[in-house]
Protein backbone atom coordinates (compact mmCIF):
# COMPACT_ATOMS: atom_id res chain seq x y z
CA UNK A 1 0.00 0.00 0.00
CA UNK A 2 1.24 3.49 -0.84
CA UNK A 3 0.90 5.96 2.03
CA UNK A 4 0.04 9.47 0.88
CA UNK A 5 1.07 12.48 2.98
CA UNK A 6 -1.11 15.57 2.46
CA UNK A 7 -0.33 19.10 3.66
CA UNK A 8 -2.53 21.74 5.30
CA UNK A 9 -0.14 24.71 5.21
CA UNK A 10 -2.47 27.08 3.38
CA UNK A 11 -6.24 27.29 3.04
CA UNK A 12 -6.31 25.72 -0.42
CA UNK A 13 -4.19 22.69 0.53
CA UNK A 14 -6.05 22.41 3.86
CA UNK A 15 -9.42 22.27 2.16
CA UNK A 16 -8.25 19.66 -0.33
CA UNK A 17 -6.67 17.53 2.43
CA UNK A 18 -9.70 17.79 4.69
CA UNK A 19 -11.98 16.66 1.85
CA UNK A 20 -9.71 13.71 1.14
CA UNK A 21 -9.64 12.73 4.82
CA UNK A 22 -13.44 12.86 5.02
CA UNK A 23 -13.82 10.82 1.80
CA UNK A 24 -11.39 8.23 3.20
CA UNK A 25 -13.40 7.94 6.43
CA UNK A 26 -16.64 7.69 4.43
CA UNK A 27 -15.15 4.89 2.37
CA UNK A 28 -14.57 2.92 5.58
CA UNK A 29 -10.81 3.35 5.56
CA UNK A 30 -8.28 4.67 8.10
CA UNK A 31 -6.46 7.99 8.05
CA UNK A 32 -3.80 9.45 10.37
CA UNK A 33 -4.91 12.82 11.72
CA UNK A 34 -3.28 15.59 13.74
CA UNK A 35 -4.70 16.36 17.19
CA UNK A 36 -3.40 18.82 19.80
CA UNK A 37 -1.99 15.93 21.86
CA UNK A 38 -0.48 13.32 19.51
CA UNK A 39 -1.40 12.11 16.01
CA UNK A 40 -4.33 9.68 15.94
CA UNK A 41 -5.22 6.88 13.55
CA UNK A 42 -8.88 7.52 12.78
CA UNK A 43 -11.78 5.50 11.40
CA UNK A 44 -15.58 5.70 11.55
CA UNK A 45 -16.31 4.69 15.16
CA UNK A 46 -19.71 3.25 14.23
CA UNK A 47 -18.34 0.94 11.50
CA UNK A 48 -16.67 -2.18 12.95
CA UNK A 49 -15.09 -3.10 9.60
CA UNK A 50 -13.35 0.28 9.46
CA UNK A 51 -12.35 0.09 13.13
CA UNK A 52 -10.81 -3.34 12.58
CA UNK A 53 -8.38 -1.68 10.13
CA UNK A 54 -7.03 0.45 12.99
CA UNK A 55 -6.21 -2.65 15.02
CA UNK A 56 -4.61 -4.29 11.99
CA UNK A 57 -2.42 -1.29 11.02
CA UNK A 58 -1.23 -0.74 14.59
CA UNK A 59 -0.95 -4.45 15.38
CA UNK A 60 -2.89 -3.51 18.48
CA UNK A 61 -4.36 -6.32 20.60
CA UNK A 62 -8.14 -6.37 20.65
CA UNK A 63 -8.37 -6.13 24.43
CA UNK A 64 -7.14 -2.51 24.32
CA UNK A 65 -10.10 -0.14 23.70
CA UNK A 66 -10.02 3.01 21.55
CA UNK A 67 -10.81 6.66 22.28
CA UNK A 68 -13.79 8.09 20.38
CA UNK A 69 -13.50 11.68 19.10
CA UNK A 70 -16.67 13.73 18.80
CA UNK A 71 -17.75 16.16 16.05
CA UNK A 72 -19.27 18.56 18.60
CA UNK A 73 -19.54 18.92 22.37
CA UNK A 74 -22.94 17.34 22.88
CA UNK A 75 -22.33 14.32 20.66
CA UNK A 76 -21.34 12.27 23.74
CA UNK A 77 -25.06 12.00 24.44
CA UNK A 78 -25.49 10.05 21.17
CA UNK A 79 -23.05 7.31 22.12
CA UNK A 80 -22.96 7.28 25.92
CA UNK A 81 -25.28 7.57 28.89
CA UNK A 82 -24.57 9.77 31.88
CA UNK A 83 -25.43 8.31 35.31
CA UNK A 84 -27.69 10.58 37.38
CA UNK A 85 -25.23 11.13 40.22
CA UNK A 86 -22.55 12.62 37.95
CA UNK A 87 -24.55 14.59 35.37
CA UNK A 88 -23.70 17.99 36.77
CA UNK A 89 -19.98 17.23 36.96
CA UNK A 90 -19.82 15.77 33.45
CA UNK A 91 -21.49 18.90 32.04
CA UNK A 92 -18.99 21.07 33.97
CA UNK A 93 -16.01 19.11 32.62
CA UNK A 94 -17.33 19.18 29.05
CA UNK A 95 -18.06 22.91 29.20
CA UNK A 96 -14.68 23.71 30.76
CA UNK A 97 -12.28 21.44 28.90
CA UNK A 98 -13.81 20.62 25.49
CA UNK A 99 -12.60 20.92 22.87
CA UNK A 100 -9.34 19.88 24.52
CA UNK A 101 -7.15 17.11 25.92
CA UNK A 102 -9.58 15.55 28.43
CA UNK A 103 -11.02 12.07 27.80
CA UNK A 104 -14.00 10.95 29.89
CA UNK A 105 -15.13 7.35 30.46
CA UNK A 106 -18.91 6.92 30.32
CA UNK A 107 -21.31 3.94 30.04
CA UNK A 108 -21.64 3.19 26.33
CA UNK A 109 -24.80 2.99 24.23
CA UNK A 110 -25.53 0.01 21.98
CA UNK A 111 -24.69 2.00 18.85
CA UNK A 112 -20.97 1.79 19.72
CA UNK A 113 -19.47 -1.45 18.36
CA UNK A 114 -17.97 -3.74 21.02
CA UNK A 115 -14.76 -3.74 19.01
CA UNK A 116 -14.24 -0.04 19.86
CA UNK A 117 -14.53 -0.58 23.61
CA UNK A 118 -12.93 -4.05 23.62
CA UNK A 119 -16.17 -5.38 25.07
CA UNK A 120 -16.04 -3.03 28.08
CA UNK A 121 -19.31 -1.41 29.21
CA UNK A 122 -17.74 2.07 29.01
CA UNK A 123 -16.60 4.23 26.10
CA UNK A 124 -13.78 6.81 26.24
CA UNK A 125 -14.84 10.13 24.64
CA UNK A 126 -13.14 13.40 23.88
CA UNK A 127 -13.28 16.34 21.47
CA UNK A 128 -10.03 17.50 19.90
CA UNK A 129 -9.21 21.20 19.67
CA UNK A 130 -6.85 20.85 16.68
CA UNK A 131 -8.23 23.14 13.93
CA UNK A 132 -7.74 20.58 11.14
CA UNK A 133 -9.13 17.71 13.20
CA UNK A 134 -12.14 19.80 14.19
CA UNK A 135 -12.98 20.56 10.58
CA UNK A 136 -12.64 16.91 9.55
CA UNK A 137 -14.76 15.70 12.48
CA UNK A 138 -17.46 18.29 11.83
CA UNK A 139 -17.63 17.57 8.11
CA UNK A 140 -17.62 13.77 8.62
CA UNK A 141 -20.32 13.96 11.27
CA UNK A 142 -19.96 10.50 12.81
CA UNK A 143 -17.70 10.00 15.83
CA UNK A 144 -14.12 9.02 14.92
CA UNK A 145 -12.34 6.23 16.80
CA UNK A 146 -8.67 7.17 17.01
CA UNK A 147 -5.91 5.74 19.15
CA UNK A 148 -2.43 7.24 18.90
CA UNK A 149 -1.02 6.61 15.42
CA UNK A 150 1.91 4.45 16.46
CA UNK A 151 2.53 0.74 16.27
CA UNK A 152 1.42 -0.96 19.46
CA UNK A 153 3.95 -0.47 22.26
CA UNK A 154 5.95 2.18 20.38
CA UNK A 155 6.30 5.93 20.94
CA UNK A 156 3.29 8.17 20.29
CA UNK A 157 3.90 10.37 17.22
CA UNK A 158 3.82 14.15 17.60
CA UNK A 159 4.54 14.91 13.93
CA UNK A 160 3.39 13.56 10.56
CA UNK A 161 6.96 12.35 9.89
CA UNK A 162 6.85 10.27 13.07
CA UNK A 163 3.62 8.64 11.85
CA UNK A 164 5.18 7.93 8.46
CA UNK A 165 8.19 6.31 10.17
CA UNK A 166 5.97 3.80 11.95
CA UNK A 167 3.04 3.23 9.60
CA UNK A 168 4.30 3.80 6.05
CA UNK A 169 2.83 1.14 3.75
CA UNK A 170 0.20 0.16 6.32
CA UNK A 171 -2.26 3.05 5.93
CA UNK A 172 -3.44 4.97 2.85
CA UNK A 173 -3.31 8.55 4.13
CA UNK A 174 -1.67 10.91 6.62
CA UNK A 175 -2.83 14.51 7.07
CA UNK A 176 0.04 16.77 8.12
CA UNK A 177 -1.24 19.31 10.63
CA UNK A 178 2.17 20.32 11.99
CA UNK A 179 3.77 19.50 15.34
CA UNK A 180 1.32 18.73 18.15
CA UNK A 181 0.95 21.70 20.48
CA UNK A 182 0.50 19.63 23.68
CA UNK A 183 2.78 16.73 22.85
CA UNK A 184 1.35 14.31 25.45
CA UNK A 185 -1.78 12.13 25.22
CA UNK A 186 -5.02 13.38 26.75
CA UNK A 187 -5.80 12.98 30.44
CA UNK A 188 -8.30 10.13 30.95
CA UNK A 189 -10.78 10.39 33.83
CA UNK A 190 -13.66 8.46 35.33
CA UNK A 191 -16.19 10.33 37.48
CA UNK A 192 -18.16 8.70 40.32
CA UNK A 193 -20.83 10.12 42.62
CA UNK A 194 -19.78 11.57 46.00
CA UNK A 195 -18.72 8.85 48.47
CA UNK A 196 -18.75 10.31 51.94
CA UNK A 197 -18.50 13.99 51.29
CA UNK A 198 -20.15 16.56 49.08
CA UNK A 199 -17.73 16.17 46.18
CA UNK A 200 -17.82 13.68 43.29
CA UNK A 201 -14.68 11.62 42.77
CA UNK A 202 -12.59 12.29 39.65
CA UNK A 203 -10.23 9.41 39.09
CA UNK A 204 -7.31 10.07 36.78
CA UNK A 205 -6.77 6.84 34.82
CA UNK A 206 -3.98 8.34 32.69
CA UNK A 207 -2.22 11.59 33.63
CA UNK A 208 -1.89 14.15 30.83
CA UNK A 209 -2.20 17.81 29.88
CA UNK A 210 -5.28 18.46 32.06
CA UNK A 211 -3.77 18.24 35.53
CA UNK A 212 -4.90 17.53 39.07
CA UNK A 213 -4.85 21.29 39.68
CA UNK A 214 -7.15 21.90 36.70
CA UNK A 215 -9.62 19.24 37.89
CA UNK A 216 -9.75 19.73 41.64
CA UNK A 217 -12.37 22.44 41.65
CA UNK A 218 -14.82 19.97 40.11
CA UNK A 219 -14.35 17.10 42.54
CA UNK A 220 -12.03 15.06 44.74
CA UNK A 221 -9.14 14.03 42.48
CA UNK A 222 -7.53 10.61 42.95
CA UNK A 223 -4.97 8.80 40.82
CA UNK A 224 -5.62 5.26 39.62
CA UNK A 225 -2.49 3.21 40.06
CA UNK A 226 -3.17 1.33 36.86
CA UNK A 227 -5.89 0.94 34.26
CA UNK A 228 -7.54 -2.06 35.88
CA UNK A 229 -10.52 -2.10 33.49
CA UNK A 230 -8.23 -2.80 30.57
CA UNK A 231 -5.83 -5.05 32.47
CA UNK A 232 -8.63 -7.34 33.59
CA UNK A 233 -9.68 -7.48 29.96
CA UNK A 234 -6.30 -8.73 28.87
CA UNK A 235 -5.72 -12.42 28.31
CA UNK A 236 -2.00 -11.84 28.93
CA UNK A 237 -0.16 -10.93 32.08
CA UNK A 238 -1.07 -7.38 33.19
CA UNK A 239 2.56 -6.43 32.60
CA UNK A 240 1.96 -6.31 28.87
CA UNK A 241 0.45 -2.86 29.05
CA UNK A 242 3.41 -1.64 31.08
CA UNK A 243 5.72 -1.94 28.09
CA UNK A 244 3.97 1.00 26.42
CA UNK A 245 5.76 4.07 25.05
CA UNK A 246 9.09 2.34 24.68
CA UNK A 247 11.63 3.52 22.08
CA UNK A 248 13.76 0.82 20.42
CA UNK A 249 16.77 1.92 22.46
CA UNK A 250 16.68 0.81 26.09
CA UNK A 251 15.42 3.64 28.25
CA UNK A 252 15.67 3.92 31.99
CA UNK A 253 14.39 6.52 34.42
CA UNK A 254 17.21 7.11 36.94
CA UNK A 255 15.29 8.23 40.00
CA UNK A 256 18.50 9.11 41.94
CA UNK A 257 21.91 9.95 40.41
CA UNK A 258 23.61 7.65 43.00
CA UNK A 259 21.95 4.64 41.37
CA UNK A 260 23.97 4.94 38.13
CA UNK A 261 26.65 2.31 37.52
CA UNK A 262 27.64 2.49 33.85
CA UNK A 263 29.01 -0.57 32.11
CA UNK A 264 32.36 0.01 30.40
CA UNK A 265 32.20 0.39 26.61
CA UNK A 266 28.49 1.18 26.50
CA UNK A 267 27.21 4.38 24.93
CA UNK A 268 24.88 6.32 27.19
CA UNK A 269 22.70 9.32 26.36
CA UNK A 270 21.19 11.61 28.97
CA UNK A 271 17.64 12.88 28.62
CA UNK A 272 17.91 15.85 30.94
CA UNK A 273 15.00 17.85 32.32
CA UNK A 274 16.64 21.31 32.37
CA UNK A 275 20.34 20.65 31.81
CA UNK A 276 21.53 22.03 35.14
CA UNK A 277 24.60 20.67 36.96
CA UNK A 278 23.00 21.26 40.34
CA UNK A 279 20.49 18.50 39.58
CA UNK A 280 23.38 16.02 39.73
CA UNK A 281 23.05 14.23 36.39
CA UNK A 282 25.08 16.22 33.82
CA UNK A 283 28.43 15.62 35.54
CA UNK A 284 27.63 12.02 36.50
CA UNK A 285 29.18 10.54 33.37
CA UNK A 286 30.86 11.47 30.10
CA UNK A 287 27.60 11.17 28.21
CA UNK A 288 27.83 10.34 24.51
CA UNK A 289 24.81 12.56 23.88
CA UNK A 290 22.73 14.94 25.98
CA UNK A 291 19.30 16.32 25.11
CA UNK A 292 17.53 18.84 27.32
CA UNK A 293 13.73 19.06 27.51
CA UNK A 294 13.40 22.54 29.01
CA UNK A 295 16.76 24.34 29.24
CA UNK A 296 17.31 26.93 31.96
CA UNK A 297 15.03 27.06 34.94
CA UNK A 298 12.93 24.18 33.60
CA UNK A 299 9.21 24.29 32.85
CA UNK A 300 7.20 21.07 32.87
CA UNK A 301 4.77 22.37 30.21
CA UNK A 302 7.62 23.01 27.74
CA UNK A 303 9.19 19.64 28.56
CA UNK A 304 5.83 17.97 27.88
CA UNK A 305 5.54 19.47 24.41
CA UNK A 306 9.04 18.27 23.47
CA UNK A 307 8.94 14.92 25.31
CA UNK A 308 8.10 12.37 22.58
CA UNK A 309 9.92 14.21 19.79
CA UNK A 310 13.11 14.38 21.86
CA UNK A 311 13.00 10.68 22.75
CA UNK A 312 12.37 9.90 19.09
CA UNK A 313 15.45 11.96 18.13
CA UNK A 314 17.59 10.16 20.75
CA UNK A 315 16.32 6.81 19.49
CA UNK A 316 18.22 7.43 16.22
CA UNK A 317 21.60 8.13 17.87
CA UNK A 318 22.78 4.50 18.13
CA UNK A 319 23.04 4.64 21.90
CA UNK A 320 23.06 1.51 24.06
CA UNK A 321 20.88 3.14 26.66
CA UNK A 322 19.01 6.38 27.27
CA UNK A 323 19.10 7.51 30.88
CA UNK A 324 16.27 9.85 31.81
CA UNK A 325 16.48 12.37 34.60
CA UNK A 326 13.26 12.70 36.63
CA UNK A 327 11.24 15.88 36.20
CA UNK A 328 9.19 17.50 38.99
CA UNK A 329 6.20 15.36 40.00
CA UNK A 330 3.67 18.13 39.35
CA UNK A 331 1.53 19.37 36.47
CA UNK A 332 2.28 17.46 33.26
CA UNK A 333 5.48 16.24 34.97
CA UNK A 334 3.27 13.42 36.33
CA UNK A 335 2.38 12.28 32.80
CA UNK A 336 6.04 12.20 31.72
CA UNK A 337 7.14 10.32 34.85
CA UNK A 338 4.32 7.81 34.29
CA UNK A 339 5.53 7.16 30.72
CA UNK A 340 9.19 6.97 31.73
CA UNK A 341 8.39 4.45 34.49
CA UNK A 342 6.40 2.32 32.03
CA UNK A 343 9.14 2.47 29.42
CA UNK A 344 11.74 1.52 32.09
CA UNK A 345 9.89 -1.54 33.36
O1 LIG B 1 -4.63 12.25 23.26
C1 LIG B 1 -5.11 11.14 23.07
O2 LIG B 1 -5.88 10.61 23.89
C2 LIG B 1 -4.75 10.42 21.77
C3 LIG B 1 -5.29 11.24 20.61
C4 LIG B 1 -5.07 10.57 19.30
O3 LIG B 1 -6.62 11.52 20.85
N1 LIG B 1 -5.25 9.08 21.77
C5 LIG B 1 -4.72 8.10 22.52
O4 LIG B 1 -5.30 6.85 22.30
O5 LIG B 1 -3.80 8.27 23.29
P1 LIG B 1 -4.64 5.48 22.78
O6 LIG B 1 -5.50 4.41 22.23
O7 LIG B 1 -3.24 5.44 22.41
O8 LIG B 1 -4.83 5.48 24.31
C6 LIG B 1 -6.12 5.36 24.84
C7 LIG B 1 -6.08 4.70 26.16
C8 LIG B 1 -5.68 3.26 26.05
O9 LIG B 1 -4.60 3.00 26.89
C9 LIG B 1 -6.91 2.50 26.51
O10 LIG B 1 -6.54 1.40 27.28
C10 LIG B 1 -7.69 3.55 27.31
O11 LIG B 1 -7.39 4.75 26.68
N2 LIG B 1 -9.13 3.33 27.20
C11 LIG B 1 -9.91 3.50 26.10
N3 LIG B 1 -11.18 3.15 26.37
C12 LIG B 1 -11.22 2.76 27.67
C13 LIG B 1 -12.24 2.28 28.54
N4 LIG B 1 -13.48 2.11 28.12
N5 LIG B 1 -11.89 1.97 29.81
C14 LIG B 1 -10.63 2.13 30.24
N6 LIG B 1 -9.62 2.57 29.46
C15 LIG B 1 -9.90 2.88 28.20
MG1 LIG C 1 -1.31 5.06 22.52
Amino acid sequence: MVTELLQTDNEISARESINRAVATLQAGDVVALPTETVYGLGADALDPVAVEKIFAAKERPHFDPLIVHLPHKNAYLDIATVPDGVKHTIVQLVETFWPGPLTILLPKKGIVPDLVTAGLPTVAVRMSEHPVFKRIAKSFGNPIAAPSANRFGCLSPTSAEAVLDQLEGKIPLIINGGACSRGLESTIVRVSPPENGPKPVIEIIRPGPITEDDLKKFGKVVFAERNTAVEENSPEAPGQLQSHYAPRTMLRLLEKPEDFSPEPGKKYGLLSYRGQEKDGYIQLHEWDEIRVLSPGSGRVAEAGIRFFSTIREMDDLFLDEIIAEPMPDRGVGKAMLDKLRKASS
Side-chain angles (χ1 to χ4, degrees):
M1 186 187 299
V2 178
T3 302
E4 233 186 309
L5 176 61
L6 296 182
Q7 308 301 326
T8 58
D9 41 10
N10 59 54
E11 183 50 29
I12 295 177
S13 68
R15 236 182 250 197
E16 163 78 20
S17 303
I18 287 166
N19 290 343
R20 285 283 304 283
V22 172
T24 305
L25 292 168
Q26 282 166 342
D29 226 325
V30 294
V31 50
L33 301 169
T35 86
E36 74 279 33
T37 57
V38 302
Y39 274 70
L41 184 61
D44 183 345
L46 304 183
D47 175 358
V49 178
V51 170
E52 177 54 36
K53 293 180 186 171
I54 297 177
F55 285 95
K58 288 191 53 139
E59 294 167 52
R60 183 180 176 110
H62 287 96
F63 62 76
D64 198 6
L66 310 179
I67 291 180
V68 175
H69 298 69
L70 304 170
H72 59 89
K73 264 192 210 171
N74 288 327
Y76 70 95
L77 298 167
D78 300 337
I79 61 168
T81 59
V82 183
D84 277 340
V86 300
K87 272 202 173 106
H88 179 62
T89 311
I90 297 297
V91 170
Q92 281 184 320
L93 295 178
V94 164
E95 289 303 325
T96 309
F97 298 109
W98 283 4
L102 182 72
T103 297
I104 306 175
L105 299 183
L106 289 170
K108 87 176 191 79
K109 283 190 176 166
I111 187 178
V112 182
D114 283 334
L115 188 60
V116 170
T117 63
L120 292 173
T122 52
V123 59
V125 287
R126 88 171 187 102
M127 184 187 173
S128 170
E129 71 186 348
H130 192 286
V132 172
F133 193 103
K134 274 205 296 202
R135 286 171 68 178
I136 292 169
K138 194 172 168 199
S139 165
F140 180 55
N142 267 6
I144 299 173
S148 50
N150 50 276
R151 286 209 227 146
F152 184 69
C154 299
L155 291 179
S156 293
T158 55
S159 66
E161 294 72 32
V163 178
L164 196 63
D165 262 5
Q166 292 198 42
L167 295 178
E168 183 161 24
K170 298 191 181 275
I171 59 175
L173 185 60
I174 301 172
I175 304 297
N176 188 353
C180 300
S181 61
R182 299 285 195 155
L184 295 169
E185 302 95 334
S186 63
T187 304
I188 303 179
V189 297
R190 175 164 50 206
V191 182
S192 349
E195 270 172 359
N196 35 30
K199 287 181 161 191
V201 179
I202 303 176
E203 190 184 9
I204 298 183
I205 307 282
R206 176 176 73 181
I210 304 296
T211 64
E212 178 181 14
D213 255 5
D214 298 324
L215 292 166
K216 70 183 179 206
K217 68 170 151 202
F218 303 102
K220 179 175 177 245
V221 179
V222 297
F223 285 89
E225 229 153 71
R226 40 217 305 183
N227 192 341
T228 45
V230 172
E231 285 187 2
E232 280 159 16
N233 217 20
S234 157
E236 316 286 328
Q240 180 161 350
L241 285 171
Q242 293 283 327
S243 71
H244 243 73
Y245 310 110
R248 290 172 317 240
T249 312
M250 222 203 310
L251 182 151
R252 181 156 53 102
L253 173 66
L254 190 65
E255 307 260 8
K256 298 192 295 286
E258 309 85 271
D259 294 344
F260 188 51
S261 44
E263 285 176 42
K266 274 198 171 180
K267 290 178 78 172
Y268 291 95
L270 177 69
L271 175 64
S272 175
Y273 170 54
R274 54 181 184 174
Q276 294 215 1
E277 284 213 0
K278 65 179 176 203
D279 295 331
Y281 287 81
I282 296 277
Q283 69 278 36
L284 200 57
H285 185 68
E286 276 198 33
W287 304 102
D288 288 278
E289 299 281 352
I290 298 176
R291 293 292 181 277
V292 183
L293 289 170
S294 179
S297 50
R299 286 184 301 135
V300 281
E302 181 190 21
I305 293 167
R306 305 189 54 231
F307 183 73
F308 280 124
S309 60
T310 306
I311 296 176
R312 175 171 174 256
E313 184 189 325
M314 293 188 84
D315 206 11
D316 289 335
L317 297 175
F318 302 101
L319 297 163
D320 291 301
E321 194 168 350
I322 300 167
I323 299 295
E325 223 181 284
M327 48 284 293
D329 188 11
R330 60 174 149 76
V332 295
K334 276 202 188 313
M336 288 182 276
L337 287 169
D338 180 54
K339 288 166 211 309
L340 288 171
R341 291 197 178 108
K342 284 178 176 157
S344 304
S345 62

